[in-house]
Amino acid sequence: MRHSRLLGSSAAVAIASALFTITPASAQESGDAAADENAGVGVIIVTAQRREENIQDVPISVTAVNQDQLTALGGGGQDIRALSGKVPSLLVESSFGRTFPRFYIRGLGNTDFDFNASQPVSLIYDDVVLENPILKGFPIFDMQQVEVLRGPQGTLFGRNTPAGIVKFDSVKPRGDFGGYARVSYGRFENINAEGAINVPMGEKVALRVSALYQRQDDYVDNVLPSGTQKNALGGYEDFALRVQAEINPNDDLEILLSGQIRDLEGTARLFRANNFTRGEEGLNENFDHQTISTDGQNDQSLTAKNASARITWDVGPVSLISVTSFWHADSTSVGDVDGGFGANFLPAGQFGPGDIPFTAETRDTVPDLDQFTQELRIASNGDGPLSYQAGFFYFDEDLEILSENYSTLGDPLNAPGGVNIVVSQSQQSEAFGLFGSLTYELTDQLTVTGGIRYNDDKRDFVVVRSKDTQFPLFLQNPLGTVTREVSDNTVTWDASLGYAASDDVNLYARVARGYRAPSIQGRILFPPATATPLEDGVSVADSETITSYEAGVKSTLWGGLARVNLSGFYYNLNNAQLTAVGGDVNANRVINADNVRGYGFELDAELAPTNNLLFTAGVSFNDTEIQDSGLTTAACGGTRVDTFPDVSLCTILDPVVIPAAPFSAAIVSIDGNSLPQSPRWIANVTARYDVPVGDGEVYVFTDWSYRSKINFFLYESVEFQDDHLLEGGVRVGYKTDRLDFAVFARNITKDVSAVNGIDFNNLTAMVNEPRIWGVEAGITF
């Protein structure tokens, strides 16, 4: 079911407004409710400033997603992309499916699909940064909480955080025996099993083992003219394991050792040729969630392993913290990028759906990824007016990438299905940072926080494309080995004021400077046809810096029955790193824009009018604008064969600087455009109601998320956009202290929305997940 953009935006604002104006029926009994420790919205503890604090006291726009919400979002085997739209200003999408999520906060993200893509949203998993995109898809399970920190986090978390952080904190070992197990079965033979067991090993050691297993059958039919392949695509099998040991030799020393693994096999992203129609908005009648027509390979796999150690030593006035981590991963993904079969130089009926100008099938592989990080930090103890932290951070990454182009139909030099272009990349990145932060209570009401960080980054890059693999020659010049080196150092900082206007209302203001290190893009399977040895297709983006201004109010209302947090922000992103995707060929190119300006607001609200009823709601508005009068990019690279001289694949809405020509995309100005994958509105709402029955309760939980219009690329066109997305889920169950039985459904309205596209060949679409339902049983012990 589709709704108008106006209706969706109005509904989001109405939800937020209602939480400000409603007077709970139980407000007259707020004194009694406050006395009941289980009443109201409770207290949320976050670690957004690397120490435990009430979320209401933190001078940052932050949202916490708790265990119950994560359980509902994970119903039916959803991966980390299920967080998209569930938090104000957060969007998550992927052109690789489960292995390579791309995160956007306040409109800032990166559409780059190469395995060395640099993103401005950092993921922190149990105090360890996950830098490479294939690490960022690590599954969510046995999780205490997820925190989304919006805005630059350039002091305590450092490099590549100009947009913000998504922070994951797993459940830690404890001193008593216990655990849980939960398994669901749903549509498409979907199985989602998760569990953990906590085992005390004497008085000084506790062990926790947790695991997740997800699988789904192939459910998409491949309907080729040569014969339908039933249930050919769409399946996966994903396993993750975490083992943690907490050792307390004495009262002052805590050692946490952990290891994690992940093993994924399944279908890569499904690309759907010509599911857009030239000159029209939205998916066309060719689209069907459960059918596709493709003649290429489609599969992916990923393995990841991690070992880490966190040591905390309390030496009285301060604690010394060491966090050491090593990650190793490898991955491969192959897809039929043209999204169809055949090509238009073949007889009628041997290509489609729609016009397929040429075949495109590629594989990208990470044979080896090694990431080592080390942090040493000192943090003050005690409850005095001054608290502080300082430390050192070191990052080292070795990355190998292999990209291959396949000949789907064959060619004079290669057998059908053979590899005809091979590009290998090698990248070594090293960085360190020195940081310090302090908070001082000037008065009982006024608190000031300030922090500073020195960042030093360098990256060495080598890419090789051998001359004997060049095919077809008219698309590119011969190329051997290309090297690039980039480095930079800078200072980032933040400063904030917090003012307790009353026991229930806190005001804050914050200014922060963030930084993203220089990046290199060298996926040069198909560099531009005009490339010379000095223009080899390898692109480099200089460092970007952001200055962000933010102010907000955090309030607890009606005796603890409601919580409403509102923030507003404005930022300037200078020398912004942007990614031009597609165009003439299936490639990425990193570029710098003079400036990107953004402003907006976020609102988080909770309301618990009774002990058995809880509402949450969030809404955000983001306005972004690229400001660079000379910045251009290629648009709609696929050429049309039915109209000349109009050869543009799509209907371009930007000013054309150089018109399109056969085998050459139009060059357009993108000055004034919004950022790609940057909706103005994101809204979400949840509701939970329970009724006591016997020894337990019957409960109903529902969650809804909305995002407004997005453009897929830096340029704007009629076709490569989506008007809006509205998805809802519901969970109904019976729960006791030990048992939980439920039925669930995700995307219950069967919303069908495009979430991305491919423009260099035809009007290819990527879409959201179909509706799924199932049953679940769980036990806690």
Side-chain angles (χ1 to χ4, degrees):
M1 181 181 298
R2 306 289 288 179
H3 301 275
S4 72
R5 178 173 52 196
L6 177 61
L7 176 59
S9 301
S10 300
V13 176
I15 291 168
S17 301
L19 285 174
F20 275 114
T21 59
I22 187 172
T23 301
S26 59
Q28 294 178 351
E29 303 173 3
S30 60
D32 294 335
D36 183 354
E37 63 179 8
N38 295 318
V41 295
V43 175
I44 298 175
I45 301 299
V46 297
T47 55
Q49 297 189 118
R50 308 298 292 274
R51 56 180 181 265
E52 293 187 352
E53 298 174 285
N54 186 335
I55 195 172
Q56 300 303 94
D57 298 331
V58 178
I60 298 172
S61 177
V62 54
T63 299
V65 184
N66 62 32
Q67 286 178 320
D68 288 342
Q69 292 171 306
L70 293 172
T71 297
L73 295 179
Q78 277 76 15
D79 59 271
I80 201 169
R81 290 172 293 167
L83 291 172
S84 184
K86 307 306 187 296
V87 171
S89 291
L90 176 68
L91 187 142
V92 191
E93 56 89 26
S94 174
S95 55
F96 278 83
R98 302 173 73 88
T99 62
F100 186 149
R102 296 189 287 246
F103 291 79
Y104 305 77
I105 294 179
R106 291 181 174 174
L108 301 177
N110 188 357
T111 58
D112 194 332
F113 58 83
D114 194 26
F115 279 138
N116 74 336
S118 168
Q119 298 181 345
V121 177
S122 184
L123 262 69
I124 308 294
Y125 212 112
D126 286 337
D127 277 341
V128 175
V129 62
L130 303 186
E131 178 75 8
N132 190 273
I134 66 173
L135 298 181
K136 292 183 177 183
F138 197 84
I140 306 173
F141 65 102
D142 196 27
M143 198 62 53
Q144 182 71 35
Q145 187 168 266
V146 176
E147 300 172 20
V148 179
L149 285 59
R150 294 175 284 259
Q153 308 296 322
T155 296
L156 293 176
F157 297 98
R159 67 194 300 270
N160 296 352
T161 63
I165 286 173
V166 183
K167 188 173 181 292
F168 299 85
D169 293 303
S170 64
V171 178
K172 301 302 184 290
R174 60 179 189 266
D176 58 327
F177 179 81
Y180 73 94
R182 185 168 58 242
V183 61
S184 68
Y185 177 82
R187 190 184 185 197
F188 309 132
E189 309 299 318
N190 182 284
I191 296 175
N192 192 71
E194 177 182 338
I197 184 169
N198 199 90
V199 182
M201 313 284 287
E203 295 182 358
K204 298 182 182 297
V205 179
L207 181 71
R208 188 175 185 89
V209 180
S210 50
L212 174 72
Y213 175 76
Q214 298 176 313
R215 71 164 305 279
Q216 179 172 283
D217 278 356
D218 291 322
Y219 68 94
V220 179
D221 297 339
N222 192 6
V223 290
L224 290 167
S226 58
T228 297
Q229 303 170 12
K230 297 289 290 184
N231 298 325
L233 300 165
Y236 59 83
E237 188 170 27
D238 203 353
F239 173 74
L241 173 72
R242 180 185 303 118
V243 180
Q244 301 178 88
E246 184 173 287
I247 307 168
N248 298 100
N250 55 58
D251 292 341
D252 299 326
L253 184 62
E254 177 185 287
I255 302 171
L256 180 65
L257 305 177
S258 66
Q260 300 179 102
I261 61 173
R262 183 190 187 190
D263 193 335
L264 167 69
E265 297 278 350
T267 294
R269 200 69 157 109
L270 296 182
F271 306 124
R272 300 172 180 271
N274 293 305
N275 276 187
F276 302 115
T277 299
R278 189 172 189 260
E280 298 180 7
E281 296 183 5
L283 295 167
N284 57 31
E285 60 185 12
N286 292 333
F287 171 76
D288 179 7
H289 248 136
Q290 294 184 237
T291 63
I292 196 170
S293 300
T294 177
D295 60 357
Q297 301 179 70
N298 184 294
D299 61 73
Q300 65 182 197
S301 64
L302 181 149
T303 61
K305 304 173 184 177
N306 163 248
S308 65
R310 177 189 170 98
I311 303 173
T312 304
W313 185 22
D314 186 341
V315 294
V318 299
S319 290
L320 305 178
I321 302 104
S322 170
V323 182
T324 308
S325 177
F326 176 76
W327 277 91
H328 171 80
D330 58 80
S331 180
T332 187
S333 184
V334 59
D336 190 6
V337 187
D338 62 72
F341 63 94
N344 60 24
F345 51 77
L346 297 175
Q350 296 186 30
F351 64 90
D355 185 33
I356 311 293
F358 53 89
T359 62
E361 181 182 349
T362 60
R363 177 187 294 275
D364 288 282
T365 300
V366 175
D368 185 67
L369 166 67
D370 294 319
Q371 175 191 291
F372 173 78
T373 58
Q374 173 65 59
E375 182 178 82
L376 297 173
R377 181 162 50 97
I378 183 172
S380 62
N381 297 324
D383 299 322
L386 176 65
S387 61
Y388 56 87
Q389 300 180 68
F392 168 81
F393 173 78
Y394 176 76
F395 172 89
D396 184 270
E397 180 192 76
D398 287 301
L399 173 66
E400 303 291 335
I401 304 174
L402 182 69
S403 299
E404 300 167 291
N405 186 76
Y406 288 78
S407 174
T408 305
L409 301 178
D411 62 75
L413 302 178
N414 299 279
V419 176
N420 52 37
I421 304 175
V422 178
V423 173
S424 61
Q425 305 176 52
S426 176
Q427 181 173 277
Q428 203 280 328
S429 303
E430 189 175 23
F432 72 87
L434 295 169
F435 62 91
S437 177
L438 62 84
T439 298
Y440 189 77
E441 297 178 2
L442 297 173
T443 70
D444 290 341
Q445 293 179 286
L446 185 61
T447 301
V448 60
T449 298
I452 191 168
R453 186 183 189 107
Y454 173 78
N455 307 270
D456 191 289
D457 290 87
K458 65 178 181 179
R459 177 168 288 173
D460 296 326
F461 178 85
V462 178
V463 61
V464 179
R465 191 180 69 231
S466 303
K467 293 182 179 180
D468 58 0
T469 62
Q470 301 307 292
F471 174 83
L473 291 175
F474 69 84
L475 285 179
Q476 54 197 300
N477 291 327
L479 181 67
T481 300
V482 176
T483 62
R484 293 286 191 275
E485 295 181 6
V486 295
S487 62
D488 197 8
N489 59 79
T490 191
V491 173
T492 53
W493 49 265
D494 65 82
S496 61
L497 287 173
Y499 179 73
S502 70
D503 291 341
D504 297 322
V505 178
N506 289 331
L507 309 175
Y508 77 91
R510 180 175 188 260
V511 58
R513 186 177 191 267
Y515 158 80
R516 180 153 52 133
S519 61
I520 304 171
Q521 178 48 256
R523 189 182 185 278
I524 52 173
L525 278 173
F526 297 99
T530 58
T532 70
L534 297 178
E535 297 174 344
D536 44 45
V538 178
S539 55
V540 174
D542 296 331
S543 303
E544 69 178 20
T545 58
I546 186 173
T547 304
S548 172
Y549 307 88
E550 181 179 313
V553 55
K554 300 190 174 186
S555 60
T556 305
L557 308 175
W558 305 313
L561 298 182
R563 177 169 36 236
V564 179
N565 296 339
L566 176 66
S567 61
F569 64 89
Y570 177 90
Y571 63 76
N572 273 301
L573 181 65
N574 295 315
N575 217 27
Q577 293 186 25
L578 305 178
T579 301
V581 177
D584 287 328
V585 291
N586 182 23
N588 293 325
R589 182 170 59 95
V590 289
I591 57 179
N592 287 110
D594 287 344
N595 178 265
V596 170
R597 184 270 302 142
Y599 64 87
F601 72 85
E602 290 112 10
L603 181 143
D604 275 303
E606 297 178 72
L607 172 66
T610 67
N611 287 349
N612 60 343
L613 181 61
L614 175 67
F615 297 101
T616 73
V619 63
S620 61
F621 174 80
N622 287 269
D623 187 287
T624 63
E625 182 179 332
I626 299 170
Q627 298 180 334
D628 188 330
S629 60
L631 192 62
T632 61
T633 188
C636 303
T639 57
R640 291 170 54 83
V641 298
D642 57 342
T643 58
F644 286 97
D646 180 9
V647 295
S648 293
L649 172 70
C650 67
T651 310
I652 299 171
L653 300 177
D654 293 319
V656 176
V657 177
I658 301 176
F663 307 108
S664 179
I667 305 299
V668 302
S669 170
I670 58 173
D671 181 40
N673 286 1
S674 63
L675 292 173
Q677 297 288 347
S678 175
R680 287 199 166 195
W681 292 98
I682 290 177
N684 58 85
V685 61
T686 74
R688 189 186 192 279
Y689 180 72
D690 60 75
V691 178
V693 175
D695 294 332
E697 63 184 23
V698 174
Y699 66 90
V700 178
F701 178 87
T702 185
D703 65 281
W704 293 83
S705 61
Y706 168 87
R707 65 116 175 98
S708 61
K709 176 183 175 182
I710 56 171
N711 289 308
F712 301 150
F713 307 117
L714 291 174
Y715 66 86
E716 295 183 357
S717 69
V718 170
E719 299 83 3
F720 289 113
Q721 60 176 264
D722 185 73
D723 183 63
H724 72 276
L725 181 149
L726 176 66
E727 290 184 330
V730 65
R731 180 183 177 91
V732 181
Y734 176 73
K735 185 176 184 179
T736 69
D737 290 340
R738 297 190 64 226
L739 303 176
D740 188 359
F741 301 98
V743 296
F744 65 86
R746 305 300 307 168
N747 193 9
I748 58 178
T749 59
K750 297 179 67 174
D751 181 282
V752 175
S753 298
V755 295
N756 211 326
I758 299 176
D759 73 335
F760 78 98
N761 190 351
N762 56 64
L763 293 160
T764 294
M766 289 168 263
V767 299
N768 64 329
E769 298 299 315
R771 182 169 63 182
I772 190 168
W773 61 82
V775 296
E776 183 177 283
I779 183 171
T780 302
F781 54 91

